[in-house]
Amino acid sequence: MFELFFPDEFYSSAYVIDFLQYYKDGYRGIIFDIDNTLVPHGAPADERSIALFKHLKEIGFEALLLSNNKEERVAMFNEQIGVHMIWKANKPFPEKYREAMKIMKTDEKSTLFVGDQLFTDVWGAKNAGIRSILVQPMNPREEIQIVLKRKLEAVVLHFYLKKHSIKR
C-alpha cells in the first residue's frame, strides 16, 4: 500500500547526489522542487544552489524548477539560476511534469525528479512515470499544512527505510 509513495532513491541532500553518474546512465533532464529541497522555504538561491546548477549545465543537463508556489517565488529563486521553470504546478498531478519534459526535450526514461515531499513531489513524479529522488527536508520550520503532511510521511518513510534496510 505505501509503495505507491516510495521514492526510487533517497538521499540526505540534493547536494550529495552524483549527477555525473546519472548523466552517464542516460539521464538528460532534472526537475527540481525548490523549497526545502534546494534552499529553506522562501529563501533565494544561495552559493551552493548556484554552483549546483552551474555544474549541471557543464555536465550537459537540462534543468527545470517545478513548484506549487506562485510565479514570484519561483522567479525570485531562478534569478541567479537561469533554468526553465513552471509555477502553480498542482503537484502531485502529472500534467506539469509532462510539460516539463516537453520543455526540456526529455522523456520518462531520461528524466529525474528531485524533491523533499512524498505526497506531492515523489507521488507526482511516479504518476508521470519519472524516476523520483527524495531528499531530506533542509529546514524543520515549515508551514502548518506541510508539518501535518510530514507526520503522515514519517509513517511511509519508516516502511520505505525498513524495506530497503536503511538505518536513520
Side-chain angles (χ1 to χ4, degrees), residues 44-87:
D46 58 13
E47 288 181 23
R48 189 163 60 160
S49 57
I50 294 167
L52 172 62
F53 283 90
K54 181 180 181 213
H55 176 65
L56 294 174
K57 290 173 186 177
E58 288 169 351
I59 291 172
F61 275 110
E62 287 290 323
L64 185 139
L65 303 171
L66 185 72
S67 176
N68 284 345
N69 270 303
K70 295 178 182 174
E71 180 181 7
E72 298 80 22
R73 164 65 184 126
V74 180
M76 182 264 287
F77 178 83
N78 198 33
E79 283 176 10
Q80 298 288 324
I81 303 297
V83 297
H84 307 289
M85 58 184 196
I86 297 175
W87 56 90

Short mmCIF file of all heavy atoms in Angstrom, two decimals, residues 44-87:
data_model
loop_
_atom_site.label_atom_id
_atom_site.label_comp_id
_atom_site.label_asym_id
_atom_site.label_seq_id
_atom_site.Cartn_x
_atom_site.Cartn_y
_atom_site.Cartn_z
N PRO A 44 16.12 32.81 -1.23
CA PRO A 44 16.64 32.95 -2.59
C PRO A 44 17.73 31.91 -2.86
O PRO A 44 18.19 31.22 -1.94
CB PRO A 44 17.23 34.36 -2.59
CG PRO A 44 17.60 34.61 -1.17
CD PRO A 44 16.59 33.86 -0.34
N ALA A 45 18.13 31.83 -4.10
CA ALA A 45 19.24 30.93 -4.45
C ALA A 45 20.48 31.36 -3.65
O ALA A 45 20.73 32.55 -3.48
CB ALA A 45 19.52 30.98 -5.94
N ASP A 46 21.22 30.39 -3.17
CA ASP A 46 22.44 30.68 -2.44
C ASP A 46 23.65 30.17 -3.24
O ASP A 46 23.48 29.63 -4.34
CB ASP A 46 22.40 30.07 -1.03
CG ASP A 46 22.19 28.56 -1.05
OD1 ASP A 46 22.32 27.91 -2.12
OD2 ASP A 46 21.88 28.00 0.02
N GLU A 47 24.82 30.35 -2.70
CA GLU A 47 26.05 29.95 -3.42
C GLU A 47 26.03 28.48 -3.81
O GLU A 47 26.43 28.10 -4.91
CB GLU A 47 27.28 30.26 -2.58
CG GLU A 47 27.61 31.72 -2.46
CD GLU A 47 28.86 31.98 -1.63
OE1 GLU A 47 29.71 31.06 -1.51
OE2 GLU A 47 28.98 33.10 -1.11
N ARG A 48 25.55 27.66 -2.89
CA ARG A 48 25.55 26.22 -3.13
C ARG A 48 24.59 25.86 -4.27
O ARG A 48 24.94 25.06 -5.15
CB ARG A 48 25.17 25.49 -1.84
CG ARG A 48 25.34 24.02 -1.91
CD ARG A 48 25.37 23.38 -0.56
NE ARG A 48 24.13 23.62 0.19
CZ ARG A 48 23.72 22.88 1.21
NH1 ARG A 48 24.45 21.88 1.63
NH2 ARG A 48 22.60 23.14 1.83
N SER A 49 23.39 26.45 -4.28
CA SER A 49 22.44 26.12 -5.35
C SER A 49 22.90 26.69 -6.68
O SER A 49 22.75 26.03 -7.72
CB SER A 49 21.03 26.60 -4.99
OG SER A 49 20.99 27.97 -4.73
N ILE A 50 23.48 27.86 -6.68
CA ILE A 50 24.02 28.45 -7.91
C ILE A 50 25.12 27.55 -8.48
O ILE A 50 25.15 27.26 -9.68
CB ILE A 50 24.53 29.88 -7.65
CG1 ILE A 50 23.35 30.80 -7.31
CG2 ILE A 50 25.31 30.41 -8.86
CD1 ILE A 50 23.75 32.15 -6.73
N ALA A 51 26.01 27.09 -7.60
CA ALA A 51 27.10 26.20 -8.04
C ALA A 51 26.55 24.87 -8.57
O ALA A 51 27.06 24.33 -9.56
CB ALA A 51 28.07 25.96 -6.89
N LEU A 52 25.50 24.34 -7.93
CA LEU A 52 24.92 23.08 -8.39
C LEU A 52 24.40 23.20 -9.81
O LEU A 52 24.71 22.37 -10.68
CB LEU A 52 23.79 22.64 -7.46
CG LEU A 52 22.97 21.44 -7.94
CD1 LEU A 52 23.84 20.18 -8.06
CD2 LEU A 52 21.78 21.20 -7.04
N PHE A 53 23.64 24.26 -10.09
CA PHE A 53 23.07 24.40 -11.43
C PHE A 53 24.14 24.71 -12.47
O PHE A 53 24.03 24.26 -13.61
CB PHE A 53 21.93 25.42 -11.42
CG PHE A 53 20.67 24.85 -10.85
CD1 PHE A 53 20.40 24.94 -9.50
CD2 PHE A 53 19.78 24.16 -11.66
CE1 PHE A 53 19.24 24.38 -8.96
CE2 PHE A 53 18.62 23.60 -11.13
CZ PHE A 53 18.36 23.71 -9.78
N LYS A 54 25.16 25.41 -12.08
CA LYS A 54 26.30 25.63 -13.00
C LYS A 54 26.94 24.29 -13.36
O LYS A 54 27.22 24.02 -14.52
CB LYS A 54 27.32 26.57 -12.35
CG LYS A 54 28.50 26.87 -13.24
CD LYS A 54 29.48 27.80 -12.56
CE LYS A 54 30.63 28.07 -13.51
NZ LYS A 54 31.89 28.24 -12.88
N HIS A 55 27.13 23.45 -12.35
CA HIS A 55 27.71 22.12 -12.56
C HIS A 55 26.81 21.27 -13.47
O HIS A 55 27.30 20.59 -14.38
CB HIS A 55 27.91 21.44 -11.20
CG HIS A 55 28.40 20.04 -11.26
ND1 HIS A 55 29.64 19.70 -11.76
CD2 HIS A 55 27.81 18.88 -10.87
CE1 HIS A 55 29.80 18.38 -11.68
NE2 HIS A 55 28.70 17.87 -11.16
N LEU A 56 25.50 21.31 -13.22
CA LEU A 56 24.58 20.52 -14.05
C LEU A 56 24.63 20.95 -15.51
O LEU A 56 24.62 20.12 -16.41
CB LEU A 56 23.15 20.64 -13.51
CG LEU A 56 22.91 20.03 -12.13
CD1 LEU A 56 21.50 20.35 -11.64
CD2 LEU A 56 23.15 18.53 -12.15
N LYS A 57 24.70 22.26 -15.74
CA LYS A 57 24.80 22.77 -17.11
C LYS A 57 26.11 22.34 -17.75
O LYS A 57 26.13 21.97 -18.94
CB LYS A 57 24.68 24.30 -17.11
CG LYS A 57 23.29 24.79 -16.78
CD LYS A 57 23.27 26.30 -16.63
CE LYS A 57 21.93 26.81 -16.14
NZ LYS A 57 21.91 28.27 -15.92
N GLU A 58 27.20 22.35 -16.99
CA GLU A 58 28.50 21.92 -17.52
C GLU A 58 28.48 20.44 -17.91
O GLU A 58 29.08 20.05 -18.91
CB GLU A 58 29.60 22.17 -16.49
CG GLU A 58 29.94 23.64 -16.31
CD GLU A 58 30.84 23.91 -15.11
OE1 GLU A 58 31.08 22.99 -14.28
OE2 GLU A 58 31.29 25.07 -14.97
N ILE A 59 27.77 19.63 -17.12
CA ILE A 59 27.65 18.21 -17.44
C ILE A 59 26.87 18.02 -18.74
O ILE A 59 27.16 17.14 -19.53
CB ILE A 59 26.95 17.45 -16.28
CG1 ILE A 59 27.85 17.39 -15.04
CG2 ILE A 59 26.56 16.03 -16.71
CD1 ILE A 59 27.16 16.83 -13.81
N GLY A 60 25.85 18.87 -18.94
CA GLY A 60 25.02 18.76 -20.13
C GLY A 60 23.54 18.58 -19.83
O GLY A 60 22.75 18.36 -20.75
N PHE A 61 23.16 18.69 -18.58
CA PHE A 61 21.76 18.52 -18.20
C PHE A 61 20.91 19.73 -18.57
O PHE A 61 21.36 20.87 -18.50
CB PHE A 61 21.63 18.34 -16.68
CG PHE A 61 21.81 16.93 -16.21
CD1 PHE A 61 22.93 16.57 -15.48
CD2 PHE A 61 20.85 15.97 -16.47
CE1 PHE A 61 23.10 15.28 -15.02
CE2 PHE A 61 21.00 14.67 -16.02
CZ PHE A 61 22.13 14.32 -15.29
N GLU A 62 19.66 19.46 -18.90
CA GLU A 62 18.59 20.45 -18.90
C GLU A 62 18.00 20.38 -17.49
O GLU A 62 17.91 19.30 -16.91
CB GLU A 62 17.50 20.11 -19.92
CG GLU A 62 17.91 20.33 -21.35
CD GLU A 62 18.04 21.81 -21.69
OE1 GLU A 62 17.25 22.63 -21.19
OE2 GLU A 62 18.96 22.14 -22.46
N ALA A 63 17.61 21.52 -16.95
CA ALA A 63 17.02 21.53 -15.62
C ALA A 63 15.78 22.41 -15.62
O ALA A 63 15.68 23.37 -16.40
CB ALA A 63 18.03 22.02 -14.58
N LEU A 64 14.86 22.09 -14.74
CA LEU A 64 13.61 22.84 -14.64
C LEU A 64 13.16 22.86 -13.19
O LEU A 64 13.24 21.85 -12.49
CB LEU A 64 12.54 22.19 -15.52
CG LEU A 64 11.20 22.92 -15.62
CD1 LEU A 64 10.69 22.89 -17.04
CD2 LEU A 64 10.19 22.34 -14.66
N LEU A 65 12.69 24.01 -12.75
CA LEU A 65 12.12 24.16 -11.41
C LEU A 65 10.62 23.96 -11.52
O LEU A 65 9.96 24.63 -12.32
CB LEU A 65 12.42 25.55 -10.87
CG LEU A 65 13.89 25.94 -10.80
CD1 LEU A 65 14.03 27.41 -10.45
CD2 LEU A 65 14.64 25.05 -9.81
N LEU A 66 10.08 23.04 -10.74
CA LEU A 66 8.66 22.73 -10.75
C LEU A 66 8.12 22.95 -9.34
O LEU A 66 8.51 22.25 -8.41
CB LEU A 66 8.42 21.28 -11.18
CG LEU A 66 6.98 20.84 -11.35
CD1 LEU A 66 6.38 21.47 -12.60
CD2 LEU A 66 6.90 19.33 -11.45
N SER A 67 7.26 23.94 -9.19
CA SER A 67 6.83 24.33 -7.86
C SER A 67 5.33 24.59 -7.83
O SER A 67 4.75 25.08 -8.79
CB SER A 67 7.57 25.60 -7.43
OG SER A 67 7.11 26.07 -6.18
N ASN A 68 4.73 24.31 -6.69
CA ASN A 68 3.34 24.66 -6.46
C ASN A 68 3.21 26.13 -6.03
O ASN A 68 2.10 26.63 -5.88
CB ASN A 68 2.72 23.76 -5.39
CG ASN A 68 2.39 22.38 -5.94
OD1 ASN A 68 2.36 22.16 -7.14
ND2 ASN A 68 2.15 21.44 -5.05
N ASN A 69 4.34 26.80 -5.85
CA ASN A 69 4.33 28.20 -5.45
C ASN A 69 3.90 29.10 -6.60
O ASN A 69 3.81 28.69 -7.75
CB ASN A 69 5.73 28.63 -4.99
CG ASN A 69 5.91 28.43 -3.52
OD1 ASN A 69 5.15 28.95 -2.71
ND2 ASN A 69 6.92 27.65 -3.16
N LYS A 70 3.73 30.38 -6.26
CA LYS A 70 3.38 31.40 -7.25
C LYS A 70 4.60 31.77 -8.09
O LYS A 70 5.74 31.53 -7.70
CB LYS A 70 2.84 32.63 -6.55
CG LYS A 70 1.55 32.38 -5.82
CD LYS A 70 1.08 33.63 -5.09
CE LYS A 70 -0.19 33.32 -4.34
NZ LYS A 70 -0.61 34.44 -3.49
N GLU A 71 4.33 32.41 -9.21
CA GLU A 71 5.38 32.80 -10.14
C GLU A 71 6.46 33.65 -9.47
O GLU A 71 7.66 33.44 -9.72
CB GLU A 71 4.80 33.57 -11.32
CG GLU A 71 5.83 34.01 -12.33
CD GLU A 71 5.25 34.79 -13.49
OE1 GLU A 71 4.05 35.12 -13.47
OE2 GLU A 71 6.02 35.07 -14.44
N GLU A 72 6.07 34.58 -8.62
CA GLU A 72 7.04 35.48 -7.98
C GLU A 72 8.09 34.71 -7.18
O GLU A 72 9.27 35.03 -7.23
CB GLU A 72 6.33 36.49 -7.05
CG GLU A 72 5.37 37.41 -7.76
CD GLU A 72 4.01 36.78 -8.06
OE1 GLU A 72 3.61 35.79 -7.40
OE2 GLU A 72 3.35 37.26 -9.00
N ARG A 73 7.65 33.68 -6.44
CA ARG A 73 8.57 32.89 -5.63
C ARG A 73 9.55 32.13 -6.52
O ARG A 73 10.75 32.12 -6.29
CB ARG A 73 7.79 31.91 -4.74
CG ARG A 73 8.62 30.80 -4.15
CD ARG A 73 9.67 31.31 -3.19
NE ARG A 73 10.53 30.25 -2.70
CZ ARG A 73 11.85 30.28 -2.77
NH1 ARG A 73 12.48 31.31 -3.32
NH2 ARG A 73 12.58 29.31 -2.29
N VAL A 74 9.04 31.48 -7.53
CA VAL A 74 9.88 30.65 -8.41
C VAL A 74 10.84 31.55 -9.18
O VAL A 74 12.04 31.25 -9.29
CB VAL A 74 9.01 29.79 -9.34
CG1 VAL A 74 9.88 28.93 -10.24
CG2 VAL A 74 8.04 28.93 -8.53
N ALA A 75 10.35 32.67 -9.69
CA ALA A 75 11.19 33.60 -10.46
C ALA A 75 12.29 34.20 -9.58
O ALA A 75 13.43 34.36 -10.03
CB ALA A 75 10.34 34.71 -11.07
N MET A 76 11.96 34.50 -8.32
CA MET A 76 12.97 35.06 -7.40
C MET A 76 14.12 34.07 -7.19
O MET A 76 15.27 34.44 -7.26
CB MET A 76 12.31 35.41 -6.05
CG MET A 76 13.26 36.04 -5.04
SD MET A 76 13.96 34.89 -3.85
CE MET A 76 12.58 34.54 -2.79
N PHE A 77 13.79 32.80 -6.98
CA PHE A 77 14.83 31.79 -6.83
C PHE A 77 15.62 31.64 -8.12
O PHE A 77 16.85 31.52 -8.12
CB PHE A 77 14.24 30.44 -6.42
CG PHE A 77 15.28 29.36 -6.30
CD1 PHE A 77 16.02 29.23 -5.15
CD2 PHE A 77 15.55 28.51 -7.36
CE1 PHE A 77 17.02 28.25 -5.04
CE2 PHE A 77 16.52 27.54 -7.27
CZ PHE A 77 17.26 27.41 -6.10
N ASN A 78 14.94 31.68 -9.25
CA ASN A 78 15.55 31.40 -10.54
C ASN A 78 16.40 32.55 -11.09
O ASN A 78 17.15 32.37 -12.04
CB ASN A 78 14.47 31.02 -11.56
CG ASN A 78 15.03 30.32 -12.77
OD1 ASN A 78 16.02 29.58 -12.69
ND2 ASN A 78 14.41 30.54 -13.90
N GLU A 79 16.33 33.72 -10.50
CA GLU A 79 17.12 34.87 -10.98
C GLU A 79 18.60 34.53 -11.12
O GLU A 79 19.23 34.90 -12.11
CB GLU A 79 16.97 36.07 -10.04
CG GLU A 79 15.68 36.80 -10.17
CD GLU A 79 15.54 37.92 -9.14
OE1 GLU A 79 16.53 38.25 -8.45
OE2 GLU A 79 14.43 38.45 -9.03
N GLN A 80 19.16 33.86 -10.15
CA GLN A 80 20.58 33.51 -10.16
C GLN A 80 20.86 32.16 -10.81
O GLN A 80 22.02 31.83 -11.07
CB GLN A 80 21.12 33.48 -8.72
CG GLN A 80 21.04 34.80 -8.01
CD GLN A 80 22.05 35.78 -8.54
OE1 GLN A 80 23.17 35.40 -8.91
NE2 GLN A 80 21.68 37.04 -8.62
N ILE A 81 19.82 31.37 -11.04
CA ILE A 81 19.98 30.01 -11.56
C ILE A 81 19.88 29.98 -13.09
O ILE A 81 20.69 29.39 -13.77
CB ILE A 81 18.93 29.06 -10.94
CG1 ILE A 81 19.01 29.07 -9.40
CG2 ILE A 81 19.06 27.65 -11.50
CD1 ILE A 81 20.31 28.57 -8.82
N GLY A 82 18.81 30.57 -13.61
CA GLY A 82 18.63 30.66 -15.05
C GLY A 82 18.25 29.37 -15.75
O GLY A 82 18.84 29.02 -16.77
N VAL A 83 17.26 28.65 -15.20
CA VAL A 83 16.79 27.43 -15.86
C VAL A 83 15.30 27.60 -16.18
O VAL A 83 14.68 28.60 -15.85
CB VAL A 83 17.03 26.18 -14.98
CG1 VAL A 83 18.52 25.96 -14.76
CG2 VAL A 83 16.29 26.26 -13.65
N HIS A 84 14.73 26.59 -16.81
CA HIS A 84 13.30 26.59 -17.10
C HIS A 84 12.54 26.55 -15.77
O HIS A 84 13.05 26.05 -14.77
CB HIS A 84 12.92 25.36 -17.92
CG HIS A 84 13.72 25.17 -19.16
ND1 HIS A 84 13.60 25.98 -20.27
CD2 HIS A 84 14.68 24.25 -19.47
CE1 HIS A 84 14.43 25.56 -21.21
NE2 HIS A 84 15.10 24.52 -20.74
N MET A 85 11.29 27.03 -15.80
CA MET A 85 10.50 26.98 -14.57
C MET A 85 9.01 26.87 -14.88
O MET A 85 8.54 27.38 -15.89
CB MET A 85 10.78 28.19 -13.70
CG MET A 85 10.51 29.52 -14.33
SD MET A 85 10.98 30.86 -13.20
CE MET A 85 10.12 32.21 -14.00
N ILE A 86 8.34 26.17 -13.98
CA ILE A 86 6.88 26.06 -14.01
C ILE A 86 6.40 26.30 -12.59
O ILE A 86 6.88 25.67 -11.64
CB ILE A 86 6.42 24.66 -14.49
CG1 ILE A 86 6.87 24.40 -15.93
CG2 ILE A 86 4.91 24.52 -14.35
CD1 ILE A 86 6.55 23.00 -16.44
N TRP A 87 5.46 27.23 -12.43
CA TRP A 87 4.91 27.53 -11.12
C TRP A 87 3.45 27.08 -11.10
O TRP A 87 2.89 26.70 -12.14
CB TRP A 87 5.05 29.02 -10.81
CG TRP A 87 4.43 29.90 -11.86
CD1 TRP A 87 3.15 30.37 -11.90
CD2 TRP A 87 5.06 30.36 -13.06
NE1 TRP A 87 2.94 31.09 -13.04
CE2 TRP A 87 4.10 31.11 -13.78
CE3 TRP A 87 6.34 30.22 -13.60
CZ2 TRP A 87 4.39 31.72 -14.99
CZ3 TRP A 87 6.62 30.81 -14.81
CH2 TRP A 87 5.66 31.55 -15.48
#
